[in-house]
């Protein structure tokens, strides 16, 4: 099993003897897979018990796929013929991730949970619109960069982080992940909401979780420049081993982002690579806490910068609540 850019052996299954239909149970290998677009390769051998060297075993074939193909297949069960030997097929391999949602969380879900569980406490009703991008949608296979994870175009809202995670996992079973990857549609989507409430009563935070590939850089930069004058911030979490030069450029910490000669009014983007927060000792609680801390670090200053730019002042502090000594009216 390998990554397309950085080949790496994740592990080997146990050897199943005396059967032509082995059932491998090394499900925990999936714990290493952090992105749906990650390319995987499964090699199958007929083992020579006298030799520990794979080169001396009989090679039966191999299968290429992505984690997204496995999770997105019916019942999270993908069947593929073993290839690799010209003119010969040595059977079919079945890749199953039926227990994926119960036994592991991928990087997308981990980042969403770590950041979202903090952000949601600043929202009164805990109902959040959740959008996907870069996928073919049923039933006609059209490519979309702005589709509701819950499948409801009229009401894309999900109830809290648990509702978003549930919609995300269900969506993986229905859509086919597909390029190109365009950011501008979702940035403009949130910007339309923010443009309707510029009085300081609401502030919008867009969390984008991506593998780092971006196909509409110019359009995205223009969308961010336009959004910089609105009450909104953008958090980008990059997953996988891709180069994140484009994401760093969007962050704008060193050089303020611009489009068509126009500088963004303020910096509204914060980017962090997820791989910097993976704790290989297994202590995901601490590593995800660090992730949340860093991605949210700039939000307070970004919010204040918007309010100051519009001369919006905080509401007056209400007078202290006072009561008499009557126990029936004293608050608990």
């Amino acid at each position: 099993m390998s990554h397309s850019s950085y080949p790496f052996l994740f592990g080997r299954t146990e050897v199943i003897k005396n059967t032509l239909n082995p059932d491998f149970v090394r499900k925990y290998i999936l714990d290493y897979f952090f992105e749906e677009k990650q390319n995987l390769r499964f090699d199958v051998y007929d083992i020579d018990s006298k030799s520990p060297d794979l080169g001396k075993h009989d090679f039966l074939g191999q299968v290429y796929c992505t984690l997204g193909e496995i999770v997105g297949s019916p019942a999270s069960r993908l069947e593929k013929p073993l290839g690799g030997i010209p003119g010969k097929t040595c059977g079919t391999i079945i890749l199953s991730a039926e227990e994926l949602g119960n036994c592991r969380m991928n990087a997308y879900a981990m980042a969403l949970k770590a950041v979202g569980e903090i952000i949601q406490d600043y929202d009164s009703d805990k109902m959040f619109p959740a959008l996907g991008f870069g996928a073919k949608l049923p039933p006609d296979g059209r490519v979309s960069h702005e589709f509701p994870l819950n499948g409801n175009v009229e009401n894309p809202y999900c109830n809290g982080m648990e509702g978003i995670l549930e919609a995300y996992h269900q969506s993986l079973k229905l859509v086919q992940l597909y390029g190109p990857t365009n950011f501008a549609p979702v940035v403009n989507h949130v910007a339309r909401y923010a443009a309707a409430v510029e009085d300081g009563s609401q502030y919008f935070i867009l969390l984008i979780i991506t593998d780092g590939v971006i196909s509409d850089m110019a359009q995205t930069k223009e969308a961010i420049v336009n959004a910089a004058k609105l009450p909104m911030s953008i958090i980008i979490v990059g997953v996988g081993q891709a180069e994140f030069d484009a994401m760093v450029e969007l962050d704008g910490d060193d050089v303020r982002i611009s489009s068509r000669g126009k500088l963004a009014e303020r910096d509204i983007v914060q980017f962090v690579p997820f791989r910097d927060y993976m704790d290989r000792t297994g202590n995901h609680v601490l590593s995800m806490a660090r992730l949340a801390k860093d991605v949210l670090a700039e939000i307070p200053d970004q919010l204040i910068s918007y309010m100051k730019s519009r001369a919006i002042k905080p509401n007056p502090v209400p007078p202290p609540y006072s009561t008499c000594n009557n126990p029936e009216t004293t608050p608990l």
Side-chain angles (χ1 to χ4, degrees):
M1 289 159 279
S2 63
H3 189 282
S4 58
S5 300
Y6 302 89
F8 182 77
L9 178 65
F10 284 109
R12 298 176 182 174
T13 69
E14 72 281 23
V15 176
I16 306 295
K17 298 180 179 180
N18 303 321
T19 178
L20 295 177
N21 296 291
D23 183 9
F24 302 108
V25 295
R26 286 279 293 274
K27 295 184 178 69
Y28 74 84
I29 292 177
L30 288 174
D31 291 340
Y32 292 97
F33 301 161
F34 296 120
E35 48 178 314
E36 271 65 39
K37 294 182 180 179
Q38 184 170 345
N39 293 314
L40 311 175
R41 191 185 82 201
F42 296 85
D43 293 348
V44 181
Y45 291 85
D46 183 11
I47 297 295
D48 179 355
S49 60
K50 297 180 181 180
S51 174
D53 183 5
L54 277 181
K56 295 183 179 180
H57 301 312
D58 293 330
F59 178 62
L60 299 181
Q62 60 191 193
V63 166
Y64 289 89
C65 67
T66 65
L67 180 58
E69 286 182 85
I70 301 175
V71 178
S73 59
S76 296
R77 186 179 173 88
L78 180 67
E79 295 190 26
K80 282 201 167 188
L82 282 173
I85 303 178
K88 185 177 181 181
T89 300
C90 293
T92 300
I93 187 171
I94 299 175
L95 306 170
S96 176
E98 296 176 11
E99 300 179 20
L100 189 62
N102 297 322
C103 69
R104 63 178 285 282
M105 292 182 70
N106 63 24
Y108 291 83
M110 291 173 69
L112 175 61
K113 190 173 178 66
V115 179
E117 286 189 344
I118 295 176
I119 294 177
Q120 71 174 355
D121 289 336
Y122 295 89
D123 187 275
S124 57
D125 62 7
K126 305 290 190 295
M127 297 295 292
F128 305 99
L131 303 176
F133 57 96
K136 287 184 176 181
L137 306 186
D140 56 359
R142 67 181 179 88
V143 178
S144 175
H145 301 287
E146 185 186 357
F147 63 91
L149 291 184
N150 65 3
N152 190 337
V153 177
E154 301 299 325
N155 183 18
Y157 287 81
C158 300
N159 188 2
M161 289 303 107
E162 293 305 317
I164 294 178
L165 286 170
E166 181 181 355
Y168 166 66
H169 287 300
Q170 289 300 317
S171 179
L172 284 178
K173 298 178 181 180
L174 299 175
V175 305
Q176 177 187 350
L177 300 173
Y178 196 81
T181 301
N182 296 338
F183 281 18
V186 292
V187 174
N188 289 328
H189 181 103
V190 177
R192 287 193 292 271
Y193 282 89
V197 192
E198 296 189 57
D199 60 0
S201 61
Q202 296 185 46
Y203 195 85
F204 297 80
I205 297 177
L206 169 61
L207 171 60
I208 299 177
I209 306 176
T210 177
D211 64 2
V213 178
I214 180 170
S215 306
D216 64 338
M217 189 64 173
Q219 294 88 338
T220 296
K221 290 171 69 172
E222 182 176 8
I224 292 174
V225 168
N226 292 333
K229 62 180 182 291
L230 301 173
M232 66 178 284
S233 292
I234 301 172
I235 296 170
I236 303 175
V237 178
V239 301
Q241 301 299 322
E243 294 297 329
F244 291 123
D245 293 350
M247 301 300 105
V248 173
E249 183 179 351
L250 294 180
D251 190 300
D253 282 344
D254 299 324
V255 179
R256 183 68 60 85
I257 191 173
S258 64
S259 175
R260 301 185 183 184
K262 180 181 179 182
L263 279 175
E265 184 176 304
R266 58 196 183 92
D267 176 19
I268 65 169
V269 178
Q270 171 74 336
F271 164 74
V272 297
F274 185 87
R275 61 183 176 228
D276 290 355
Y277 299 85
M278 286 311 301
D279 189 337
R280 291 300 181 181
T281 67
N283 192 345
H284 295 321
V285 174
L286 291 179
S287 55
M288 290 304 97
R290 290 193 301 111
L291 171 69
K293 176 179 179 294
D294 288 352
V295 299
L296 295 172
E298 296 184 7
I299 297 297
D301 287 342
Q302 291 175 359
L303 184 150
I304 291 173
S305 70
Y306 173 79
M307 299 302 175
K308 285 184 175 180
S309 69
R310 300 298 183 272
I312 299 173
K313 298 181 179 180
N315 292 327
V317 178
Y321 186 80
S322 61
T323 66
C324 63
N325 290 328
N326 184 340
E328 293 184 359
T329 60
T330 301
L332 298 178

